[in-house]
Amino acid sequence: IIIQDAYMFGLSQLYQMRGRVGRSYEAAYTYLMYSARDTLTENAKQRLNAMRELSTLGSGFELANRDMEIRGVGNVLGTDQSGDVGNIGFDLYMNMLSDALDNVRDTFVQSVVQCHFDIELSPKEQGSVPSGYMPLDSIGHQVHRLHVNPDYDTLVLIAKEWVREYGSFPPETRKLFSYHHVLSSCRRLGVSHVTLEDDKTTVRLTGPDVYPNLWAPLAKTALQVEQSTRLILNQEDAVRIDLEGIDKSEWVDTLLSVLLPLSRYVHTKSNGPLKKQENSMQLE
């Protein structure tokens, strides 16, 4: 294959075109041509040199790294595909990126012992234990275990015990555990009060360390796009979660989808670093 004016192509384009020839035991050659009258930029020279140096089987990954060194890597969370990494060097950039992610994961917050959930929910919306799921004389004791502020691991342990003793969860009981996971996540995140704004669709989270500027990097790391769009961080007094368009019967699950991933990425000041937890209960 002969590629005329090769300096005008990007490194990935040249790599793809070179890969069009050569099969099995048949040797193939790629000629990258340009005129002696052409003035090559420094980046163009680097691209052609990379193509010449990296021609062995399996060199695609190294070419991708070289391309990032030449062009820059762009935004981690945006759409830009080139940047200024060349000004500091690729290795230093990767070290800086790693340090930034470590800082986010090592965010410390002041946990709280009690979270006051001041949103009125019906038994159907909050969850319950139906009378046919376990013996009537066991319901009071078992439900009480959920009301003594258990952490994530304790809730998972209780859930496994119930499944082992009484069988798979009915929908009402699964909802009940989701509700208590919301409370557990709030306590871990330092949320002491959960209230409803006047518009009746926005949940307000407040607490000693509940600040939008603290939660913003957590949200970028921990949340998918669908969940992060519901998190409102543009007001300084509190963190808010938008529930507009969500049926009230799904409020608990929606809150859990936002709060549980966030709680994975924090350490509590009172108890020190805690291990990363799973996103959801793994129950049959």
Side-chain angles (χ1 to χ4, degrees):
I1 184 172
I2 300 175
I3 304 174
Q4 185 64 31
D5 295 331
Y7 68 95
M8 299 180 65
F9 293 95
L11 191 53
S12 61
Q13 293 172 313
L14 293 173
Y15 177 69
Q16 289 294 325
M17 288 188 286
R18 185 176 70 179
R20 298 306 92 202
V21 295
R23 291 293 183 271
S24 185
Y25 55 87
E26 295 289 346
Y29 300 90
T30 299
Y31 292 91
L32 305 179
M33 312 293 291
Y34 61 91
S35 170
R37 297 187 299 272
D38 294 328
T39 301
L40 273 61
T41 65
E42 185 61 32
N43 282 355
K45 294 177 182 178
Q46 292 184 46
R47 291 196 297 270
L48 295 178
N49 285 334
M51 289 293 295
R52 181 178 58 188
E53 296 169 5
L54 303 172
S55 59
T56 58
L57 185 65
S59 60
F61 178 77
E62 185 58 37
L63 267 171
N65 284 338
R66 188 74 65 87
D67 191 33
M68 284 191 289
E69 291 179 359
I70 296 172
R71 292 192 305 126
V73 294
N75 294 341
V76 175
L77 299 173
T79 57
D80 292 343
Q81 297 188 26
S82 62
D84 299 318
V85 69
N87 295 335
I88 61 173
F90 178 70
D91 290 338
L92 178 57
Y93 170 82
M94 293 304 296
N95 289 335
M96 292 171 64
L97 178 61
S98 178
D99 290 344
L101 292 175
D102 287 341
N103 288 336
V104 170
R105 294 190 181 100
D106 289 338
T107 299
F108 283 81
V109 299
Q110 180 64 57
S111 64
V112 295
V113 176
Q114 184 76 29
C115 175
H116 300 280
F117 194 90
D118 298 325
I119 299 177
E120 185 176 349
L121 297 175
S122 69
K124 180 180 179 180
E125 295 160 351
Q126 181 176 315
S128 61
V129 179
S131 58
Y133 179 63
M134 63 175 65
L136 289 175
D137 57 358
S138 299
I139 292 180
H141 167 68
Q142 292 292 353
V143 172
H144 175 73
R145 298 172 67 189
L146 304 179
H147 289 278
V148 293
N149 300 335
D151 60 13
Y152 175 91
D153 291 329
T154 304
L155 284 169
V156 171
L157 180 62
I158 295 173
K160 289 180 178 179
E161 290 179 5
W162 287 21
V163 170
R164 185 171 60 250
E165 293 292 328
Y166 310 116
S168 300
F169 281 173
E172 305 96 314
T173 305
R174 184 174 293 276
K175 179 78 71 174
L176 180 64
F177 271 85
S178 295
Y179 171 74
H180 283 282
H181 270 289
V182 168
L183 297 181
S184 172
S185 299
C186 284
R187 292 191 295 269
R188 183 178 173 86
L189 289 164
V191 178
S192 57
H193 288 84
V194 180
T195 56
L196 198 60
E197 301 262 91
D198 292 337
D199 62 7
K200 304 301 182 183
T201 59
T202 303
V203 173
R204 174 187 171 99
L205 310 176
T206 56
D209 272 353
V210 181
Y211 302 111
N213 60 350
L214 179 66
W215 284 45
L218 288 175
K220 290 180 179 179
T221 303
L223 298 182
Q224 301 294 327
V225 173
E226 181 180 354
Q227 287 77 37
S228 64
T229 55
R230 296 205 168 272
L231 198 61
I232 302 174
L233 301 172
N234 59 359
Q235 302 179 44
E236 296 182 359
D237 60 327
V239 171
R240 292 169 173 82
I241 298 177
D242 179 20
L243 297 179
E244 185 176 2
I246 304 295
D247 188 83
K248 197 173 182 181
S249 63
E250 301 298 324
W251 280 14
V252 167
D253 292 330
T254 303
L255 291 173
L256 182 63
S257 70
V258 174
L259 294 171
L260 181 58
L262 289 171
S263 69
R264 297 174 60 221
Y265 280 86
V266 297
H267 299 297
T268 57
K269 293 178 181 178
S270 57
N271 298 320
L274 299 178
K275 62 183 179 182
K276 183 180 288 189
Q277 302 164 335
E278 297 298 326
N279 261 328
S280 59
M281 294 179 290
Q282 300 297 320
L283 300 174
E284 296 295 333

